Amino acid sequence: ADLLIEKGHFEAAKAYLLLAIVQNPKNASAFATLGFVHMQLGEYKLASESFEESNRLVEGNPYTMVALAQSKFAEMKYAESC
């Protein structure tokens, strides 16, 4: 998925990541990367959900926490972004 993201092929990366998650629903990294892809596509609610699941699987990852705050801010859920 990383190469697809580097090339700007976000929809293809999203499909690849969803398949990876189906194959391993405990893949916190795939959920975090999917959240990033959703952010790039302007799908902020889906991004928040992906980051939340990543954080549920591996709590306290600083990257995920910052990304989750950014996605909540993009959703205009300002109180939840702090």
Side-chain angles (χ1 to χ4, degrees), residues 14-26:
K14 181 166 71 169
Y16 179 82
L17 289 163
L18 289 170
L19 180 60
I21 289 168
V22 166
Q23 292 176 350
N24 180 5
K26 294 185 179 184

Side-chain angles (χ1 to χ4, degrees), residues 6-41:
E6 286 178 28
K7 301 279 185 183
H9 301 296
F10 298 113
E11 289 292 344
K14 181 166 71 169
Y16 179 82
L17 289 163
L18 289 170
L19 180 60
I21 289 168
V22 166
Q23 292 176 350
N24 180 5
K26 294 185 179 184
N27 187 339
S29 178
F31 276 104
T33 305
L34 180 61
F36 171 79
V37 169
H38 284 306
M39 288 289 288
Q40 297 305 306
L41 294 171

Side-chain angles (χ1 to χ4, degrees), residues 11-80:
E11 289 292 344
K14 181 166 71 169
Y16 179 82
L17 289 163
L18 289 170
L19 180 60
I21 289 168
V22 166
Q23 292 176 350
N24 180 5
K26 294 185 179 184
N27 187 339
S29 178
F31 276 104
T33 305
L34 180 61
F36 171 79
V37 169
H38 284 306
M39 288 289 288
Q40 297 305 306
L41 294 171
E43 301 167 343
Y44 304 123
K45 183 173 179 8
L46 292 171
S48 292
E49 292 171 2
S50 295
F51 292 132
E52 286 169 350
E53 184 61 17
S54 179
N55 189 56
R56 187 186 70 74
L57 292 167
V58 178
E59 292 184 20
N61 180 307
Y63 164 79
T64 303
M65 300 300 293
V66 168
L68 177 57
Q70 291 172 332
S71 66
K72 291 291 187 182
F73 189 83
E75 280 188 86
M76 296 185 199
K77 294 187 175 180
Y78 304 118
E80 295 177 40

